[in-house]
Amino acid sequence: MGRLVERIIVLFSWLSGAILLSVICAVTGYLCFKGLKTIGPALIFGSTDPMSALLLRQRVFDGLFPAMAGTLLLVLMSVGWAIPLGTAAGIYLAEYAGVKTKKIFDLLFDLLAGLPSIVIGLFGFSLTLFLNRHVSKELHPCLLLSSIALAFLILPYIIRTTQIALENLPMHNRLTGLAMGATRMQNLVHVLLPQALAGMVSGILLAIGRCAEDTAVIMLTGVVASAGVPRSVLSHYEALPFYIFYISSQYANQQELATGYGAAILLLFICLLLFGLAFVIKKNLPCQVFSQR
Amino acid sequence: MRSRILMLLGAAVFFMTFSTSAMAGDLDGFKGEKGEIKIAGGTAHIPVMKEAAQRIMGVSPDVQISIAGGGSGVGIKQAGEGLVDIGNSGKKPSEDEVARYGLHLFQWAIDGVAIIVNPANKVRALSQQQVMEIYAGKISNWKEVGGVDKQINLYTRDEASGTREVFWNQALKKGEIAANANFSVSNGAMKAAISQDPFAIGYVSVGHIDESVAAVAFDGVVPSRETVKEGKYAIARGLYSCTKGAPAGLTKKFIDYLFTAEGQQIVVDQGFITVK
Amino acid sequence: MTATCERAVERLFFAAAFVSAFVTLFIFGFMVYYGLPLFSGGRFLAILTSHWAPHQGSFGIYPMIVGTLAISLLAMVFAFPLSMGCAILISVVSRGRLSRILRKVVEVMTGIPTVVYGFVGIFLLIPLVRNVFDAGSGMCVLSASLMLAVLVSPTMILFFCDSFDRVPRSYGHAVLALGGTRIQHFLHVTLPCAWPGIIVAVTMALGRAVGDTLIALMLAGNAVQAPDSVFDSARTLTSHIALVFAADNESLEFKAIFACGVSLYLFTTILVLMIRLAARARGKVGQVG
């Protein structure tokens, strides 16, 4: 009897593994089968000359260039907001906060991390309406406001990785500097932060991946199907994930759909690349903060 | 000999300058222009908007035109709130909306709303009564209207859609739409969904019909540009662009462009009927 | 001098933490403010339990709540056994290299963008469901749940593995010494000790399933009805926000999406609190070892 249960469990686990693997193979295989042939310069630049497109001398109408440029700007801006704020907050939690303060902050950051991205997007949208009504009529859903909303989405990731990277440093590292007469600040800047850097950077890379793939937030705060490369931070813009979403439901012809497959492969590749990079940094930089768990 | 070549060259140069200027004539006003136009709303309008925007951005690299969907309701509201420069609508905004927001309307094309099915579906004609019953959920199998023995998959649009409003008013006589209907977010999405679902029924702007879907004759009239133009096909509507107050600057140029010979040619090329 | 500087920097760090925390509360306040007329005088409850019929002036989100629960719970029904099986395979059944490779594959899966799953879902899963089950358009609760299950499984698997690995090895020596197999050890020692971690993982996965927008928006069909069967088209709270956010800002239709937002917020809060409780229990298990 016991043997039978054991056999069933083993069989079941192998079956689950097989299902998971076949699903992942089906997803990636299907994309590659349909989309690999579209991969090439034409996917990104269409019929425009790549050089003049990159120098913004000519518009790209039938390629992914505007969407990629939009995603790149969006990611840079959101990370630009979130890194200083998130790192500082993470340092405060790890190094300065008292037990009680920490508890409250912890709860709130967990909550922020758990909020569905559409809720953050809704917040961004209502913030835009509020600003439009009460601050300046010039403010519409745009790149700037999208990036701010998106920064709130990734903020808890950055806070957490900073905090964990610092907290996991071994006690003796923490004390040596202080014992040699360094102030708390000097200790932090010269001893602790350099050692925690690997953990922090890998966290930031994961946050970038999250920014690059999120669709729900930007859908409500300014992304559009057709805009070209944004000329200012107050413009509408295109983005890669939204393009994929848009094409999936409203492609006009087979050629557009093929571009959609290409875009999906591209986004998948970018996200996995960031993911791999984060992993390599976590493993290979001198201080292995994460391996100590 | 030499003079002949020169003459030929001269003629060629003359011809080329002449022909390019003739071609780009309607776009001349955009040369050297700078700025941004934000367009949102009606999704039937998008192909025309996109083509016009591409041509304009092609001659003047410093102009940025962004095009979003959302539906006619969204177009009217966002233009009214000042969130976009041009709000498109596939239905005529109500008197109340025009007065409340100070909207100016520009109707640059005539369009119809057609009932469509998947090309694999053999049903090609429905009466108004049948359409009403299908959408109300009373007829739920294709065999009841002469098709195969399969469940009818309903597709509809959200409340913001002008296409839905026109269809609901004129084809359904404001009748019920069953709750199990799937929702599509735009004319483009409706077309794509119907082209993938062999047992679907939906409705879409006549300009959007192509070989990926099949138009259904409504009370005996096949919806097409010709039948809408001649007034035979009953479910027709205008395509409007709205601005808050009188349009100025780049926005005005854009709207004017839609009414030029070239602009109206785009309207025809995209499957709609000109207003001129 | 340095002391003042130090204090200033500390204040700056505190300010950053405070701003970040404040935003969390601010989001809630903002949504309540915008949906205000709906939240006064017990109308919030009415909204939660009535139907969505804008033409009749009814803006209830009941169908969306049912849709959300149906899709996310069904997704958990698929994802839980799958994840449990995979976690057992990685932590208990397989050894060495195979286990490491499998774990790596699962880790990589967590990096796949949601929109890519949705995209493949539309063109691969929907026609499959339509043809296999011969039920409607294929855009239904089932399709969305299946894809969501794939989306949430990797995180769940990693969490399961983590909680299995946390159970101290010393716990099971007796079982192994008495000639028990690894499976017996897992069933009688690891699993009973790891349950708080399992609850944390399931709760987190549920939160992810409820909060996801794109999969349901792309695959569930978005009909405004409380689904009766898994083959019915349905709409989630998240899709509802995405579909009607651009409506007239003054209308009740628009206000109603803030009711969706507030519901999602409150739901998240409950889940986070549950996770904390479970994590506390998990901490105790760890302490004993």
Side-chain angles (χ1 to χ4, degrees):
Chain A
M1 179 59 200
R3 290 277 154 205
L4 186 68
V5 173
E6 271 181 43
R7 286 238 178 100
I8 291 175
I9 288 178
V10 171
L11 194 73
F12 173 71
S13 73
W14 281 108
L15 192 70
S16 308
I19 291 175
L20 193 77
L21 284 182
S22 51
V23 165
I24 190 67
C25 287
V27 169
T28 47
Y30 179 75
L31 271 185
C32 292
F33 171 68
K34 287 281 198 172
L36 266 190
K37 56 183 177 289
T38 63
I39 301 289
L43 175 68
I44 295 168
F45 298 107
S47 46
T48 316
D49 172 48
M51 236 12 236
S52 29
L54 284 173
L55 297 171
L56 302 182
R57 269 200 234 115
Q58 249 185 313
R59 306 276 184 155
V60 177
F61 294 121
D62 42 2
L64 295 175
F65 182 66
M68 293 176 71
T71 292
L72 181 72
L73 288 172
L74 186 68
V75 166
L76 287 179
M77 287 173 66
S78 332
V79 170
W81 301 117
I83 288 182
L85 195 61
T87 325
I91 292 175
Y92 179 78
L93 278 191
E95 300 296 319
Y96 295 97
V99 181
K100 249 192 185 157
T101 339
K102 200 166 164 176
K103 246 185 191 163
I104 297 173
F105 278 141
D106 266 344
L107 180 67
L108 287 173
F109 294 148
D110 274 356
L111 190 56
L112 188 59
L115 284 184
S117 61
I118 193 93
V119 171
I120 310 263
L122 187 59
F123 167 68
F125 181 70
S126 39
L127 187 69
T128 313
L129 286 182
F130 183 83
L131 293 176
N132 180 276
R133 235 173 261 170
H134 300 288
V135 178
S136 160
K137 278 276 160 213
E138 296 301 305
L139 281 168
H140 310 297
C142 62
L143 189 56
L144 179 71
L145 286 157
S146 274
S147 71
I148 292 175
L150 212 47
F152 291 136
L153 185 77
I154 57 169
L155 196 58
Y157 290 74
I158 295 183
I159 295 176
R160 273 286 173 263
T161 39
T162 309
Q163 189 192 349
I164 292 174
L166 283 170
E167 280 176 351
N168 281 6
L169 293 178
M171 210 33 155
H172 61 88
N173 288 13
R174 189 173 294 271
L175 295 179
T176 320
L178 292 175
M180 287 167 74
T183 64
R184 230 172 149 183
M185 188 66 206
Q186 286 167 332
N187 196 38
L188 183 70
V189 172
H190 297 294
V191 182
L192 300 180
L193 282 182
Q195 293 189 46
L197 200 61
M200 287 161 62
V201 169
S202 71
I204 289 167
L205 285 173
L206 291 180
I208 290 178
R210 191 84 182 75
C211 268
E213 72 124 0
D214 185 86
T215 321
V217 172
I218 59 176
M219 206 152 74
L220 269 61
T221 52
V223 77
V224 293
S226 168
V229 178
R231 295 281 140 147
S232 89
V233 293
L234 294 178
S235 309
H236 280 152
Y237 60 97
E238 297 177 36
L240 215 43
F242 183 77
Y243 181 84
I244 298 168
F245 166 70
Y246 180 82
I247 287 297
S248 73
S249 67
Q250 31 201 323
Y251 59 94
N253 49 49
Q254 290 305 315
Q255 193 199 342
E256 256 188 44
L257 183 57
T259 322
Y261 280 105
I265 293 181
L266 206 62
L267 184 67
L268 185 64
F269 179 73
I270 291 171
C271 286
L272 294 185
L273 191 74
L274 285 168
F275 196 81
L277 217 57
F279 182 77
V280 168
I281 288 178
K282 213 154 88 175
K283 275 269 152 166
N284 292 345
L285 277 191
C287 182
Q288 303 191 353
V289 276
F290 279 83
S291 63
Q292 304 193 345
R293 285 207 302 180
Chain B
M1 186 63 192
R2 191 183 242 183
S3 62
R4 242 174 125 182
I5 292 172
L6 272 178
M7 244 174 75
L8 266 173
L9 264 175
V13 168
F14 175 77
F15 183 72
M16 274 165 71
T17 25
F18 180 76
S19 62
T20 43
S21 69
M23 264 166 63
D26 294 332
L27 284 169
D28 278 348
F30 290 98
K31 276 187 188 139
E33 272 284 351
K34 272 186 186 157
E36 200 182 346
I37 310 174
K38 289 178 174 171
I39 304 173
T43 60
H45 307 56
I46 287 179
V48 172
M49 292 288 138
K50 243 181 167 165
E51 182 61 31
Q54 290 194 359
R55 291 195 193 186
I56 291 165
M57 291 195 284
V59 295
S60 47
D62 290 321
V63 173
Q64 191 189 353
I65 303 175
S66 69
I67 304 160
S72 305
V74 172
I76 294 169
K77 260 78 188 198
Q78 293 208 342
E81 295 269 338
L83 290 172
V84 293
D85 303 304
I86 298 174
N88 289 327
S89 175
K91 62 176 181 197
K92 199 168 184 182
S94 67
E95 300 279 320
D96 170 55
E97 283 165 335
V98 172
R100 180 151 57 114
Y101 294 130
L103 293 180
H104 282 227
L105 308 182
F106 302 90
Q107 186 194 345
W108 45 263
I110 298 163
D111 183 24
V113 177
I115 295 153
I116 52 168
V117 294
N118 190 279
N121 193 332
K122 292 286 171 278
V123 177
R124 284 291 185 282
L126 291 168
S127 67
Q128 179 158 30
Q129 190 58 34
Q130 283 172 323
V131 171
M132 287 175 67
E133 287 184 10
I134 288 174
Y135 265 90
K138 286 177 195 140
I139 296 178
S140 61
N141 196 305
W142 280 110
K143 75 177 176 206
E144 293 171 63
V145 289
V148 291
D149 182 12
K150 287 279 184 187
Q151 186 195 323
I152 299 176
N153 300 329
L154 293 179
Y155 286 78
T156 189
R157 299 270 310 277
D158 44 283
E159 272 75 24
S161 161
T163 311
R164 172 195 168 113
E165 179 127 342
V166 171
F167 177 78
W168 184 62
N169 277 333
Q170 300 185 28
L172 299 185
K173 295 191 207 151
K174 306 200 177 191
E176 189 193 348
I177 296 179
N180 66 358
N182 290 329
F183 276 75
S184 296
V185 293
S186 68
N187 277 287
M190 178 73 88
K191 193 185 79 176
I194 305 288
S195 72
Q196 285 180 68
D197 184 343
F199 312 113
I201 187 166
Y203 50 89
V204 73
S205 145
V206 168
H208 280 68
I209 295 174
D210 61 15
E211 68 282 356
S212 69
V213 292
V216 174
F218 179 71
D219 274 346
V221 186
V222 179
S224 71
R225 184 154 59 196
E226 288 66 39
T227 52
V228 174
K229 195 173 184 177
E230 290 159 10
K232 285 184 194 152
Y233 187 72
I235 318 168
R237 48 106 177 245
L239 295 184
Y240 298 86
S241 285
C242 315
T243 56
K244 189 181 176 71
L250 204 53
T251 308
K252 180 173 179 349
K253 282 188 177 175
F254 183 88
I255 289 179
D256 287 345
Y257 175 67
L258 292 174
F259 288 96
T260 61
E262 192 180 326
Q264 289 290 301
Q265 188 56 45
I266 298 176
V267 168
V268 173
D269 292 344
Q270 300 297 335
F272 301 102
I273 298 142
T274 57
V275 287
K276 289 204 168 165
Chain C
M1 171 63 201
T2 22
T4 11
C5 178
E6 292 251 327
R7 206 166 304 146
V9 170
E10 186 183 331
R11 286 225 178 106
L12 212 62
F13 287 154
F14 174 75
F18 183 77
V19 166
S20 315
F22 182 70
V23 165
T24 318
L25 297 174
F26 192 58
I27 291 175
F28 187 73
F30 227 81
M31 284 193 307
V32 172
Y33 168 74
Y34 263 91
L36 205 56
L38 294 179
F39 298 119
S40 53
R43 283 171 78 182
F44 187 54
L45 263 185
I47 289 269
L48 294 185
T49 52
S50 60
H51 279 272
W52 177 263
H55 283 294
Q56 289 144 31
S58 172
F59 300 95
I61 54 171
Y62 174 73
M64 278 60 93
I65 291 179
V66 178
T68 303
L69 290 178
I71 289 174
S72 52
L73 290 178
L74 189 62
M76 296 308 290
V77 168
F78 294 127
F80 181 75
L82 180 73
S83 307
M84 190 48 96
C86 290
I88 295 173
L89 183 66
I90 292 172
S91 291
V92 185
V93 175
S94 67
R95 277 284 143 114
R97 199 153 172 208
L98 180 65
S99 165
R100 275 203 301 277
I101 291 175
L102 282 173
R103 193 186 285 249
K104 194 102 307 149
V105 169
V106 174
E107 275 173 8
V108 167
M109 274 184 83
T110 59
I112 297 180
T114 319
V115 70
V116 170
Y117 281 125
F119 188 82
V120 174
I122 285 191
F123 298 106
L124 196 62
L125 184 66
I126 296 265
L128 199 72
V129 168
R130 178 168 57 224
N131 294 331
V132 171
F133 298 102
D134 191 25
S137 60
M139 292 207 258
C140 59
V141 173
L142 180 70
S143 306
S145 309
L146 283 171
M147 221 41 178
L148 261 186
V150 177
L151 180 75
V152 299
S153 284
T155 331
M156 211 149 66
I157 296 170
L158 293 177
F159 256 86
F160 284 166
C161 290
D162 186 49
S163 24
F164 295 161
D165 298 346
R166 267 165 188 256
V167 176
R169 293 252 165 246
S170 57
Y171 273 32
H173 284 336
V175 176
L176 293 175
L178 289 169
T181 62
R182 271 188 280 143
I183 300 290
Q184 282 174 334
H185 175 250
F186 170 75
L187 278 181
H188 300 295
V189 179
T190 314
L191 207 52
C193 286
W195 68 265
I198 293 175
I199 290 183
V200 170
V202 170
T203 320
M204 282 182 75
L206 182 65
R208 182 95 195 272
V210 167
D212 187 80
T213 310
L214 283 182
I215 300 280
L217 184 62
M218 292 165 94
L219 305 179
N222 298 321
V224 190
Q225 62 173 354
D228 285 331
S229 93
V230 295
F231 300 114
D232 276 356
S233 164
R235 185 185 288 200
T236 60
L237 289 167
T238 49
S239 320
H240 189 62
I241 296 177
L243 286 168
V244 298
F245 80 94
D248 183 359
N249 301 329
E250 297 303 325
S251 67
L252 281 172
E253 194 178 346
F254 178 72
K255 306 270 182 200
I257 64 173
F258 289 97
C260 296
V262 168
S263 311
L264 287 166
Y265 196 108
L266 292 178
F267 186 74
T268 310
T269 314
I270 294 170
L271 289 189
V272 167
L273 292 175
M274 272 175 65
I275 290 174
R276 303 219 124 204
L277 277 179
R280 201 174 290 166
R282 170 166 146 152
K284 275 181 195 141
V285 172
Q287 275 162 18
V288 177

